[in-house]
Amino acid sequence: MSELLKRDKKYIWHPFTQLVDTSDPLVVKSAKGAYLYTEDGREILDAVSSWWVNLHGHSHPYIAAAVAKQAQELEHVIFAGFTHEPAINVAENILSILPDNQSKAFFSDNGSTAIEVALKMTFQHWYNQGIERKKTIAFNGAYHGDTFGAMSVGDRGPFSAPFSPYLFDVAFVDCPIAGKESTVLKKFMSLVDQGDVGAFIFEPLVLGSAGMLMYSPEVLDEMISYAQINGVICIADEVFTGFGRTGKLFAADHLTHKPDIFALSKGLTGGTMALGLTTCTEKIIEVYRDNDLMKTFFHGHSFTANPIACASANASFDLLMDSACQNQIAQLVDLQKYYKEKLENHPKLREVRQFGTILALEFDTTDDTSYANEVKHKLYPFFLDRNILLRPLGNIIYVLPPYIITKEEMATVYGAIDELLEEIELR
């Protein structure tokens, strides 16, 4: 055991990791492009973008240069009563590519905090007007983060069970996947008709942690339209789906009816720095424009709009909007679509799902589909032994690489999946 690993095991508590009976973490010394380089000399192909954050490849020189330059000019400043150009540029850049109903941007630190801001912004919107609209609608199976507000609007299961007494009440409807649309719409409309719904929060078109569940833009359009006609504020959690993952800049770009609030993170900085952003319409903001101090939005973080994180976001934006990146996204969409069609009806797969750059394979196992499905203990090491990082969601693996991945590297990933399907019995 290396000295670094000994120190890790002594001092560090890792996320989503049991403290007993687990394999040792891999010590990563550096990363470049689509590869992670470990202390013991391995080169691991990062086919999940390091938890979905990396857009342009690891250690991208353009982003690294922007971070280094900013660190020598302004590393941080309190964002209450002060501002700075990197943050102004982020807000301008992101609002320029979001739907034109978005008016202002509020900074935070990550996806969970971006969701917390969205929820609190919505709840106080009603509070400032003295209107009782305390009910929120969310999807069963949703994941919006691990802070308490985010947990409240997420799936109620074993992960949230220790905290369930402390979560606020939410009305849940099923994800409107194919075949369930009319049933879900009927329940959704009946909840909205009660007149006390203030918010509808959703992962647009793809529920990530639920197993990359996918549903149609048409049904989401109907839900948003009905909600907005009845005064319900619609919150799009684009923490995962934003910045090209669905083939367009945002999942909302597939929709006719646009959400009122967006929560963004992950790809916002190209995966380089921690940063969250919540944007909203003028309608949300107008009830805060008041001389009454108590109608102020009293929310903030010590590192709100950190200039170095903002510099990485602006550099990532430049890369994202360049035609080279857009061509990479289009190529990746085509590759994923082709491979999905190849694997459809495979006897070892319950379903193959693909949307934009996202591909998910649901393996047909003895146990039901779930995050706790034990087959993950076969899937994860199979790929890692072949120096490919594919982190399963139970019996579901997903391929979600950075956009810079080459056709040859994708062929390596697909080849390993083919090998798994050929050799391993998962039932």
Side-chain angles (χ1 to χ4, degrees):
M1 183 182 297
S2 73
E3 184 61 29
L4 281 175
L5 188 55
K6 288 179 183 177
R7 289 160 59 194
D8 175 279
K9 291 174 73 67
K10 182 176 181 180
Y11 296 113
I12 294 179
W13 192 346
H14 287 268
F16 293 91
T17 305
Q18 288 179 273
L19 294 179
V20 294
D21 297 329
T22 55
S23 57
D24 292 336
L26 298 176
V27 180
V28 176
K29 295 287 287 184
S30 64
K32 189 71 176 176
Y35 289 92
L36 307 171
Y37 299 97
T38 64
E39 183 184 46
D40 58 358
R42 295 173 65 182
E43 299 180 8
I44 298 175
L45 185 58
D46 184 357
V48 297
S49 299
S50 286
W51 246 338
W52 322 346
V53 303
N54 193 285
L55 301 186
H56 312 295
H58 294 280
S59 305
H60 196 289
Y62 184 74
I63 300 177
V67 167
K69 181 175 183 292
Q70 186 59 49
Q72 297 176 68
E73 295 176 354
L74 174 65
E75 87 299 347
H76 188 61
V77 64
I78 181 176
F79 208 58
F82 291 85
T83 192
H84 50 79
E85 186 177 8
I88 295 167
N89 289 342
V90 170
E92 284 182 342
N93 286 339
I94 301 306
L95 288 170
S96 75
I97 60 173
L98 281 169
D100 59 12
N101 67 338
Q102 298 299 289
S103 178
K104 280 192 184 292
F106 193 101
F107 287 86
S108 61
D109 298 346
N110 54 59
S112 295
T113 56
I115 292 295
E116 295 289 323
V117 169
L119 292 170
K120 290 178 67 176
M121 192 182 281
T122 301
F123 298 161
Q124 190 175 338
H125 171 85
W126 297 117
Y127 177 88
N128 279 4
Q129 300 174 82
I131 298 174
E132 291 282 325
R133 279 188 174 242
K134 296 182 178 180
K135 185 178 292 179
T136 298
I137 301 176
F139 285 139
N140 283 317
Y143 175 80
H144 296 289
D146 294 323
T147 48
F148 272 87
M151 279 195 297
S152 293
V153 294
D155 188 55
R156 302 297 175 90
F159 288 175
S160 62
F163 318 107
S164 59
Y166 313 103
L167 305 180
F168 59 78
D169 289 336
V170 172
F172 288 97
V173 297
D174 287 340
C175 179
I177 58 175
K180 283 191 172 183
E181 295 97 335
S182 60
T183 302
V184 173
L185 273 172
K186 184 177 180 180
K187 181 176 181 181
F188 179 81
M189 291 176 176
S190 69
L191 288 168
V192 171
D193 288 344
Q194 294 174 18
D196 59 348
V197 176
F200 168 41
I201 184 168
F202 51 90
E203 296 166 85
L205 309 183
V206 185
L207 271 66
S209 293
M212 301 296 169
L213 290 182
M214 300 175 184
Y215 61 106
S216 75
E218 291 76 18
V219 69
L220 183 56
D221 255 328
E222 286 193 61
M223 297 175 84
I224 293 174
S225 175
Y226 196 79
Q228 291 177 333
I229 287 170
N230 288 277
V232 176
I233 294 171
C234 295
I235 303 170
D237 177 354
E238 293 237 26
V239 170
F240 161 46
T241 54
F243 306 104
R245 291 299 186 189
T246 65
K248 295 190 177 185
L249 287 173
F250 298 97
D253 293 338
H254 296 274
L255 304 172
T256 300
H257 299 280
K258 307 303 182 182
D260 302 292
I261 294 177
F262 284 78
L264 307 170
S265 189
K266 290 194 183 292
L268 176 60
T269 67
T272 301
M273 302 283 291
L275 188 67
L277 199 68
T278 306
T279 70
C280 66
T281 63
E282 178 60 29
K283 178 184 175 182
I284 305 298
I285 298 166
E286 62 186 6
V287 301
Y288 291 90
R289 299 185 191 279
D290 198 293
N291 290 328
D292 183 352
L293 176 65
M294 301 316 295
K295 290 189 176 181
T296 303
F297 188 49
F298 290 111
H299 185 97
H301 303 259
S302 299
F303 289 95
T304 295
N306 174 259
I308 302 176
C310 288
S312 67
N314 289 321
S316 178
F317 178 86
D318 292 343
L319 295 172
L320 178 68
M321 300 308 293
D322 189 87
S323 60
C325 182
Q326 293 302 308
N327 290 336
Q328 289 168 342
I329 292 172
Q331 174 181 278
L332 184 54
V333 171
D334 288 343
L335 289 172
Q336 298 281 54
K337 183 178 180 181
Y338 176 81
Y339 191 61
K340 184 247 187 186
E341 292 170 351
K342 175 185 173 183
L343 290 185
E344 280 183 319
N345 303 315
H346 193 287
K348 290 186 180 179
L349 297 172
R350 284 184 187 151
E351 189 178 12
V352 185
R353 299 185 284 275
Q354 179 263 332
F355 196 158
T357 70
I358 308 160
L359 176 72
L361 313 177
E362 184 173 339
F363 289 88
D364 189 14
T365 62
T366 303
D367 296 330
D368 291 337
T369 294
S370 75
Y371 186 89
N373 191 302
E374 289 298 310
V375 77
K376 65 184 178 182
H377 299 302
K378 291 183 179 180
L379 297 174
Y380 184 64
F382 179 90
F383 292 106
L384 206 53
D385 287 346
R386 287 152 182 80
N387 289 324
I388 299 170
L389 175 56
L390 288 175
R391 185 180 172 89
L393 296 164
N395 61 316
I396 297 168
I397 61 168
Y398 58 90
V399 183
L400 190 77
Y403 302 145
I404 51 86
I405 197 166
T406 65
K407 288 183 179 179
E408 292 74 22
E409 289 162 344
M410 288 298 291
T412 298
V413 177
Y414 295 151
I417 295 172
D418 289 341
E419 185 184 349
L420 173 78
L421 292 169
E422 180 79 19
E423 296 182 5
I424 303 296
E425 183 55 54
L426 298 174
R427 290 189 65 83

